[in-house]
Amino acid sequence: MCGIVGYIGYEQAGSFLLDGLEKLEYRGYDSAGVCLNDGSELVVKKAKGKLKVLKELTQNGKLLAGTVGIGHTRWATHGEPSDVNAHPHLSKSGRFAVVHNGIIENYQQLKDYLTSKGIVFRSMTDTEVIAQLIEYYYKGDLVDTVIKVLEKLEGSYALGVISQENPDEIIAVRKESPLIIGLGDKENYIASDVTAILTKTRNILRLENNEIAILKRDGVKIIDTDKEEVRKEIETVEWDVSAAEKGGYEHFMFKEIMEQPKAVKDTISPRIRNGRVVLDEIKLTDEQLKSFTKVNILACGSAYHVGVVAKYIFEKMLRIPVEVDLASEFRYRDPIINDKVLTIVISQSGETADTKEAMKEAQRRGSHVISIVNVVGSAIAVESNDVIYTWAGPEIAVATTKAYSTQLAVIYLMALYFGDKLGTIVPDEYKALVGELEKLPERIEKILEHKEKIQYLASKYFNSKDVFFIGRNIDYALSLEGSLKLKEISYIHSEAYAAGELKHGTISLIEKGTPVIALVTHEELIGKIVSNIEEVKTRGAEVICIACDSHPEIESHGQTIFIPKSCDMLLPSLAVIPLQLFAYYVSSLKGCDIDKPRNLAKSVTVE
Ligand code: F6R
């Protein structure tokens, strides 16, 4: 939520700031702004709307002068999206500028105090208090002042600060919100994530909570709040530059859908050796593993939907009760959880505030946490007990596709790994499942090769008012994801229902022409879901089925998209592809902003 960049060097800062913000726009896109020290004063340019408005305003950076600057792309929390609420925020006299990602929880109290001292606020944001506090406490040393201000702040923040008097430094600090430092040759950078600086450098430093970075042109010093120097290892980022570019595709979402065979392969292959699943990342002993009486899964949004799939898989294969919780609910319901419960936390970004806090709650209660995370070095990855990375590469489109698929892949690996250790999977079944798992990438590829039929169905239904998704068992778990994907990017109202539950109320919404997408992959329940399909057809629904090619008869019940047959456990990875493509094509036909749907942001770092 919100993206921050900063540059200090000998080149003009404007072009990097705008380019970096473009890479971070997925984090928030209701307004954007930059502030540069032009040698005599701080000059701010900011504008409501997407980054392109700011680009026009600054003639693509040509109007920006200065070799030190900070920039921000916003997802509004305090104060509506507007020019005035956009960051950077200046102090009263304009001598200090701040960009901020996070939330200052005690901002009102601080604002009241400063107002009582005669300071007049320009914006409705929590961030402006930081800029005003810096000026209020400033006695000639910016680092000392920032440290003093940090003592006053409650909440989460990643901050970039520049001042008129110090044209040779940027101060950066973080607590709970992400921030990295990029190390260049006689130039240095700050950014909310590495995608913003990949074209400039692969050498980074990761700031920890309450560490302060002092960036100069020729070097970076990290200190703690006692001003003690902190020595850090330089990390080299492996991500390919092209991974954060559209590479000829019209949208990141489509590119990321097409990248799924590779992403799934990259996640699975290194972890299968000689026909066995090897998860070196899990440090639990076999005894510890056997001592768990329950599995608890915590996540938000699509990652939560992966958790729902995992519940069906783990309960069936491991014979252990699984509870899946929305992280935002778990935190506040006094959960029954202790050291006999294994917690699995799923997050693409590794920085979702609710997921992170829910994880800490589980840890406080004694639970061992294994996280499934895409962003290396992110907070959840670092703070969980064990982390299994998904190797999806950077995911830029707000609607997740390849991260979802790689999270599912890790769930399969875990099911096999635990099943083997617990003795709940017999060797023949294990061998067969590993074989099928290895074939997943090519099967996904095959579905992607036949996308025209999905495009055709999207053209038939893109004007629909409502779309329903139904399924049973693991197909129900998948229908949740299909429905979310469609509604978040096409703005069509959609609901996912356990097919057997429809007739307990929701079926009253079905009328002539209502599209119902029925997932018909779960072998044992085909007969049951077919009955539910007939029930909605009788009430006028137009049904699209997703079924395995081993069941050609399904075509007699509705327009059908066939996917290759695999074992039940792995079918969500295949069936989700047509659902993602359907959402994508519908949204494209409606002319929606697919990669940046309204009101959303990629990393949800606020509660
Ligand atoms: C939907 C989507 C979101 C995320 C959710 C959790 O397409 O991407 O629902 O799944 O915000 O985000 P992470 O996985 O970063 O914790």
Side-chain angles (χ1 to χ4, degrees), residues 544-556:
I544 300 172
C545 302
I546 316 276
C548 292
D549 53 12
S550 52
H551 285 280
E553 76 284 3
I554 297 298
E555 210 154 20
S556 63

Side-chain angles (χ1 to χ4, degrees), residues 300-303 346-349 352 398-400 407 484-485 488 604:
C300 300
S302 292
I346 309 172
S347 175
Q348 186 283 130
S349 61
T352 302
V398 164
T400 182
Q407 288 161 356
L484 178 66
K485 215 76 312 170
E488 71 177 324
V604 187

Side-chain angles (χ1 to χ4, degrees), residues 436-569:
E436 289 290 297
L437 186 54
E438 286 181 303
K439 288 190 195 128
L440 260 190
E442 71 195 62
R443 287 183 172 147
I444 295 174
E445 188 87 64
K446 204 165 158 201
I447 301 170
L448 290 170
E449 278 165 18
H450 297 97
K451 47 191 178 308
E452 293 69 27
K453 181 157 186 194
I454 303 159
Q455 195 168 13
Y456 163 71
L457 289 170
S459 73
K460 231 173 132 182
Y461 295 110
F462 77 98
N463 273 325
S464 303
K465 183 165 66 67
D466 311 286
V467 177
F468 291 84
F469 290 76
I470 58 171
R472 283 171 174 264
N473 194 281
I474 211 162
D475 279 341
Y476 164 58
L478 191 59
S479 69
L480 295 170
E481 177 60 6
S483 172
L484 178 66
K485 215 76 312 170
L486 182 69
K487 73 181 115 185
E488 71 177 324
I489 60 168
S490 74
Y491 318 139
I492 294 178
H493 166 250
S494 169
E495 287 187 44
Y497 253 79
E501 183 66 14
L502 265 188
K503 55 186 166 299
H504 297 288
T506 308
I507 202 163
S508 65
L509 295 173
I510 303 288
E511 51 189 28
K512 191 166 171 11
T514 306
V516 173
I517 301 189
L519 290 142
V520 198
T521 74
H522 194 67
E523 191 75 42
E524 287 166 23
L525 294 170
I526 288 181
K528 300 282 177 207
I529 179 93
V530 162
S531 305
N532 301 133
I533 290 172
E534 292 308 317
E535 284 160 14
V536 292
K537 273 168 65 183
T538 310
R539 277 129 190 119
E542 294 202 14
V543 175
I544 300 172
C545 302
I546 316 276
C548 292
D549 53 12
S550 52
H551 285 280
E553 76 284 3
I554 297 298
E555 210 154 20
S556 63
H557 299 285
Q559 310 160 86
T560 304
I561 294 163
F562 288 109
I563 57 170
K565 174 73 186 143
S566 184
C567 49
D568 275 357
M569 172 178 105

Side-chain angles (χ1 to χ4, degrees), residues 14-26:
S15 81
F16 167 75
L17 294 178
L18 292 178
D19 191 50
L21 288 179
E22 190 165 3
K23 300 284 174 3
L24 295 182
E25 217 186 352
Y26 71 87

